[in-house]
Amino acid sequence: MDVSGDSVTLLAVSPLAVRAGVCAGMTATAARSLLPGLTLIQNNPDGERADFESLAAALGRFSPRLCTDAPRALLLEISGCVRLFGSESALAAQAAAAIERQGYSVQLGLAENPTAAMTLALAGTGKLDDAPVAALRLEPADLSHLQALGVRTVGALRQLPLEGLPARFSGVMLARLRQIRGDAQETFAAFVSPQEIEERLEFEGPTDRHDALLFALRRLAVGLQERLAAMEAGALGLQVSLRATDGPALTFPVTLTRPTRESRSLTALLHGRFESVDRGERWFDGVTVQVSSFAPLKAPQRNLFEPGSAAAERSLAELVDELAGKLGPAAVVRAEITADPRPERSFTLQAFGQAASGALEPRAVDTQVARPATLFEPHEMTVDCDESGRPRRWQDGRRQSGLVAQPVERIHFGWWVGDGAQRDYFAVQDDDGARWWLMQRQGRWYIVGAF
Amino acid sequence: MDGVLKLSHGLLHWGAMLSPELIDKLEALRGAGQAASGARACLPLGIVALDNHLGGGISCGAVTEIFGQSGQGAWWLALRALAGIKQKTCALVEPAGTFFPPGAAALGVDLGRLLIVRESNRKQALWALDRIAREKHIAATVAAIPNLKDTELRRLQLAAEASGQALVLLRPPSELSRASWGAMRLLVHAQPGSTRRLVVEVLRVRGAAMLRPMLLEFDDDAMDVRISALLPHRADHSGHAHRAG
C-alpha cells in the first residue's frame, strides 16, 4: 500500500484478496469493506529500487545489454546471446529460474522488439493480440476511451483504422502502436551494473529468532551467487551487517580461501560464522551482505586426466572456509618448519589456504634427530644426574622414575635472543618405557615433550 | 556390476562430454564395485610385519582407535599412518594444542598437506572433526578428543564410511571400557628396558579373529623399528572388555 496524505491506496494485492473483489488502486477503506481481515503492508520505495537494481545486476550474465523500466520491468537484448544458451526459450527459462531462486515471481515476454516484449510480459500472455490494451502502458484517458468503444485487446485495437485514430487518442497510443509493429523504437534507460556487490534483506518486523536469521543469510547467499555470476567473479571476502533495533549493528567479516560464488558454500560459511559470533539479546530488522573483495572465476573445467582433481581442490577449499568461518582462521592451519633452533619456534602456523611463505623450499627436517610428537609448556622437575651430567633419575612430586638417557642434543642460539643462550635436550626413557623430552636450562630441569 | 565398471572406466576419458554429476555417479559405482569385490582398502603404517599382521594396515572408511598413555607410542603409531599418505591431504584435530609439527615431519608426514585444527573448545573441535570426517578428499584424519561418547563415535564411524577416510582416534586407556564402533581398536604401551620397545595389542578387528600382540623394538640410531615379534595372547585381555559395535 502507498500512503499519501490521508489516503491509503493499494499498490498490489494477493490472489486471495482478488477473489474477494479487492484490486490494486483501491483505497484501504474500500478494500476493508470487502475484506475486513485484510492485512496491509507499507511499501518501501527505496528498498524496492535497491532490490530491483540487484535483480538487474544479477541478470547481467544473460546479456550485456540491459535496460530498465523501473520498478516493473527489465529488458534484455538477447539476439547476440541466444547461441550461448541453445535457444531463446532455454535462455528465458534460465533467466526465470535465476529470478525465482531469489524469491521473486516473474512474467516473461519474448518478442522482436522491446515494446512487444514488454507488452507480452505485462499481459502474461503468449500472443500479442490476446494482450489487454492496459499492457500497452497507455494514458488513462485513452484506456477509458477504448473501453467505451469496446476495444479490450491489442488485437482488437490493431484492427481499428489507423488514419482515424489521431483525432481521438493521444500521441502515446499512436506511438505505442508503431513501436509494437517495429516501425519505431521505444527508448528505455540503459542499466549500468554497480561495481559494489551488496545484497540486503529487510525483515517485516524485528526478530531474534535463530532460524529466521539463518534463512535470511541463505536468501542473501542466493542473491550473491547470481550477482557474482553476472560478473564472472567469485567472492574472496564478505562483510555481514545485521541491523539491530537498538544499539550498533552486528558486523562480522567472512574470509574465503579461494574465489567462490556457489550459494551452498556461501551459505555454509555465513551460517558457520554467524553461529560463532555473540549476538547477545539483540533483535534485528535487516541484514546486508557486501562482497568486500572478489576475483575473476572462470567456469569450472573438468580435468580429463585426473577427473577428480579440480573437484577435490574446490571441495577442500570449501571445507577450509567452513572450518575457518566457524572456528576462526587461527584455528585452521598448516605448519611450516623454520630455521630457529629453539623447539617452540622451530615451526610456524599459517592459515591453511595461504600459499607457502617466502621460503623457496620448505626447510628439510633432520629425520635422524629425535623429536617428540607433542610439546607442552615446560614443567619444572627435580632430576638427579650422573658424573657426566646426564639425567639418571627424575622426581616430580610423588612420581619418580629412573631414566635411560639418549644422546644429548645441545642447542645454542645467539645471546641477543635473551633466552639463556644455551639449552640441553635429552630424550629419556623412564621405568615404564615411556619416552620424554627433557630440557636443562641454567641448571634447572623441565619436561617439555612426549614421544 | 563389471559391465558398469568397464563402462565407467571408458567413459571417464570422455569427461568433457559428460556432466560432472554423471561422472561422480560412475566413480561412486566403481567404488561400490571395488567394495563389493571384498578387498578392504587399507592405509599401511610402514612397518611391514605390523601391516601384514593387521591385514594391510589400518582400515580406510572406518574408525581406528589407538589407546595409549602419553609417551608410550600411540602418537607415534598414528603419525606413521599419516606419513604413508602421499599427494593427498590429511587432517589433525587436537584440542590440547600440544602437537609438535617437527616431530611429525621427522616421521615423514607432509606438513604442507596436513590440515591442523587447533580448537580448544571440545564441542567445536568435535564439530570440526565430524565435518572433516565427511570430506571424501581427505585421506586420513588423526584426532585426540577426550571423552568421546558412544553416539559421537557412531556418528564418526558413519562419516568415515561415507567418505572413505581412515579416521584415527587417539584415546587414553581409561576409556577402554567404552563401547567400540570402530573397525579396529589398538592398545599401544611401552615396555621397560634400555631400548625403546612398544607392544601393539590388537583388541578388536572387525570381521577377524583376535590377533596376537606384536612387540616392536627400536633401533635408536636408525630411529626406526629394528625387530618385530608376535607375542602370546595376554591372559588379562578380558580386562579390556569391549562391546562389539
Side-chain angles (χ1 to χ4, degrees):
Chain A
M1 64 170 191
D2 180 34
V3 183
S4 54
D6 290 339
S7 86
V8 179
T9 317
L10 304 189
L11 293 171
V13 293
S14 69
L16 200 65
V18 172
R19 280 206 287 280
V22 178
C23 62
M26 216 174 235
T27 62
T29 318
R32 281 230 162 89
S33 66
L34 291 169
L35 193 61
L38 191 70
T39 307
L40 296 174
I41 299 169
Q42 172 79 52
N43 68 329
N44 175 1
D46 290 343
E48 284 165 26
R49 196 176 308 113
D51 286 356
F52 183 79
E53 283 178 3
S54 159
L55 204 55
L59 291 180
R61 75 178 155 115
F62 295 102
S63 168
R65 297 179 66 185
L66 198 70
C67 294
T68 62
D69 186 21
R72 60 183 164 184
L74 283 164
L75 287 141
L76 277 78
E77 213 285 278
I78 59 167
S79 56
C81 321
V82 170
R83 64 189 174 84
L84 301 173
F85 294 87
S87 67
E88 286 176 351
S89 53
L91 189 156
Q94 285 192 37
I99 294 169
E100 280 163 1
R101 271 199 298 276
Q102 297 205 48
Y104 299 100
S105 58
V106 61
Q107 282 186 190
L108 291 175
L110 270 168
E112 297 275 312
N113 63 70
T115 309
M118 181 85 106
T119 308
L120 285 173
L122 290 174
T125 56
K127 269 180 76 180
L128 201 54
D129 283 347
D130 294 342
V133 285
L136 286 172
R137 295 161 289 135
L138 303 177
E139 301 284 333
D142 289 340
L143 278 177
S144 56
H145 203 161
L146 286 171
Q147 201 165 7
L149 288 171
V151 176
R152 290 194 166 75
T153 63
V154 174
L157 177 60
R158 287 190 344 167
Q159 283 173 1
L160 293 181
L162 204 60
E163 58 277 10
L165 292 179
R168 297 161 191 265
F169 294 95
S170 73
V172 173
M173 197 186 86
L174 297 168
R176 210 61 96 224
L177 281 172
R178 278 197 295 275
Q179 288 160 354
I180 210 168
R181 280 203 304 260
D183 296 340
Q185 188 78 21
E186 188 179 358
T187 53
F188 293 95
F191 177 75
V192 181
S193 184
Q195 283 307 299
E196 267 191 1
I197 303 178
E198 184 182 283
E199 287 289 312
R200 63 178 194 163
L201 198 63
E202 302 291 330
F203 305 156
E204 282 181 15
T207 184
D208 69 338
R209 278 184 53 190
H210 186 68
D211 55 345
L213 295 169
L214 291 182
F215 173 78
L217 291 171
R218 188 162 63 241
R219 275 286 302 277
L220 295 181
V222 172
L224 288 177
Q225 173 179 317
E226 303 296 342
R227 293 286 304 275
L228 288 162
M231 297 181 75
E232 289 278 306
L236 275 172
L238 305 171
Q239 183 70 29
V240 182
S241 173
L242 287 134
R243 199 175 58 236
T245 48
D246 52 345
L250 173 67
T251 59
F252 55 86
V254 178
T255 313
L256 290 91
T257 311
R258 48 179 264 159
T260 305
R261 69 162 170 256
E262 278 179 34
S263 62
R264 191 176 52 83
S265 313
L266 295 176
T267 304
L269 290 176
L270 289 169
H271 282 184
R273 191 73 180 83
F274 172 70
E275 283 175 347
S276 68
V277 293
D278 175 21
R279 60 179 197 276
E281 300 290 313
R282 281 185 278 183
W283 287 59
F284 303 98
D285 59 6
V287 58
T288 307
V289 181
Q290 190 180 36
V291 179
S292 50
S293 68
F294 57 87
L297 184 62
K298 298 279 176 247
Q301 299 271 333
R302 196 80 184 176
N303 185 332
L304 281 177
F305 301 100
E306 291 175 74
S309 63
E313 208 175 301
R314 197 171 61 241
S315 184
L316 283 173
E318 283 176 15
L319 169 73
V320 171
D321 284 342
E322 214 174 305
L323 294 171
K326 186 150 179 165
L327 311 178
V332 186
V333 292
R334 67 181 172 77
E336 204 171 281
I337 304 296
T338 67
D340 198 311
R342 288 167 290 180
E344 70 277 14
R345 292 176 187 235
S346 62
F347 65 96
T348 58
L349 297 173
Q350 297 171 0
F352 189 79
Q354 279 177 10
S357 71
L360 289 173
E361 283 287 322
R363 190 178 140 81
V365 176
D366 186 353
T367 53
Q368 296 306 307
V369 178
R371 284 286 176 270
T374 54
L375 190 76
F376 24 82
E377 282 293 308
H379 172 69
E380 191 165 1
M381 55 201 287
T382 310
V383 173
D384 296 332
C385 298
D386 60 17
E387 303 77 33
S388 62
R390 294 163 70 86
R392 193 172 55 189
R393 187 151 203 88
W394 119 45
Q395 185 160 7
D396 180 20
R398 275 183 297 174
R399 285 180 65 210
Q400 61 169 338
S401 177
L403 295 172
V404 179
Q406 303 305 311
V408 63
E409 185 185 349
R410 178 156 288 178
I411 294 178
H412 292 277
F413 36 85
W415 54 267
W416 54 88
V417 300
D419 195 14
Q422 179 181 305
R423 302 179 199 166
D424 288 335
Y425 284 86
F426 292 86
V428 297
Q429 196 161 300
D430 66 17
D431 283 348
D432 298 328
R435 188 164 283 205
W436 309 97
W437 216 28
L438 303 190
M439 174 180 77
Q440 191 255 109
R441 184 176 61 191
Q442 294 174 335
R444 300 170 83 164
W445 287 86
Y446 305 85
I447 181 166
V448 293
F451 286 83
Chain B
M1 180 60 78
D2 275 354
V4 174
L5 295 183
K6 281 172 192 159
L7 182 68
S8 78
H9 274 296
L11 286 177
L12 287 178
H13 297 290
W14 296 89
M17 297 169 67
L18 298 174
S19 74
E21 292 75 24
L22 182 57
I23 290 182
D24 283 346
K25 278 181 186 164
L26 288 170
E27 284 172 350
L29 264 179
R30 192 167 51 155
Q34 283 166 351
S37 68
R40 181 173 70 108
C42 285
L43 184 59
L45 297 163
I47 305 152
V48 177
L50 184 60
D51 286 335
N52 290 341
H53 189 51
L54 297 176
I58 62 170
S59 297
C60 294
V63 164
T64 296
E65 297 165 278
I66 303 180
F67 292 82
Q69 298 280 14
S70 188
Q72 300 213 15
W75 265 100
W76 169 80
L77 199 61
L79 292 176
R80 288 295 300 226
L82 295 187
I85 295 166
K86 303 294 175 207
Q87 305 297 320
K88 282 186 177 169
T89 305
C90 304
L92 182 109
V93 181
E94 196 236 349
T98 58
F99 171 64
F100 186 50
L107 288 174
V109 175
D110 182 357
L111 292 179
R113 288 177 181 270
L114 181 65
L115 169 68
I116 304 169
V117 175
R118 290 164 70 98
E119 172 58 58
S120 56
N121 179 304
R122 184 189 177 279
K123 192 177 161 194
Q124 300 270 53
L126 189 62
W127 169 82
L129 176 60
D130 189 74
R131 175 65 185 83
I132 291 169
R134 287 170 200 285
E135 174 56 57
K136 65 178 177 181
H137 295 109
I138 291 210
T141 301
V142 171
I145 297 180
N147 296 318
L148 284 171
K149 298 185 183 74
D150 292 356
T151 48
E152 292 165 347
L153 266 172
R154 176 74 183 136
R155 201 176 149 85
L156 290 171
Q157 170 65 23
L158 291 174
E161 281 173 17
S163 65
Q165 259 186 57
L167 184 53
V168 180
L169 301 178
L170 286 168
R171 309 184 70 186
S174 57
E175 294 180 17
L176 265 169
S177 59
R178 302 265 179 89
S180 169
W181 291 100
M184 191 180 282
R185 184 172 258 211
L186 306 175
L187 170 65
V188 187
H189 54 87
Q191 283 209 331
S194 57
T195 57
R196 184 160 173 75
R197 297 200 301 170
L198 298 179
V199 175
V200 180
E201 291 191 41
V202 187
L203 303 183
R204 170 187 151 85
V205 182
R206 185 181 282 174
M210 184 76 86
L211 298 173
R212 288 163 62 191
M214 176 167 270
L215 173 74
L216 305 172
E217 188 169 313
F218 285 67
D219 180 343
D220 274 322
D221 293 333
M223 305 284 294
D224 212 343
V225 176
R226 182 176 59 183
I227 300 170
S228 56
L230 285 175
L231 302 175
H233 281 300
R234 247 173 41 167
D236 62 346
H237 264 154
S238 55
H240 300 132
H242 46 279
R243 286 169 275 151

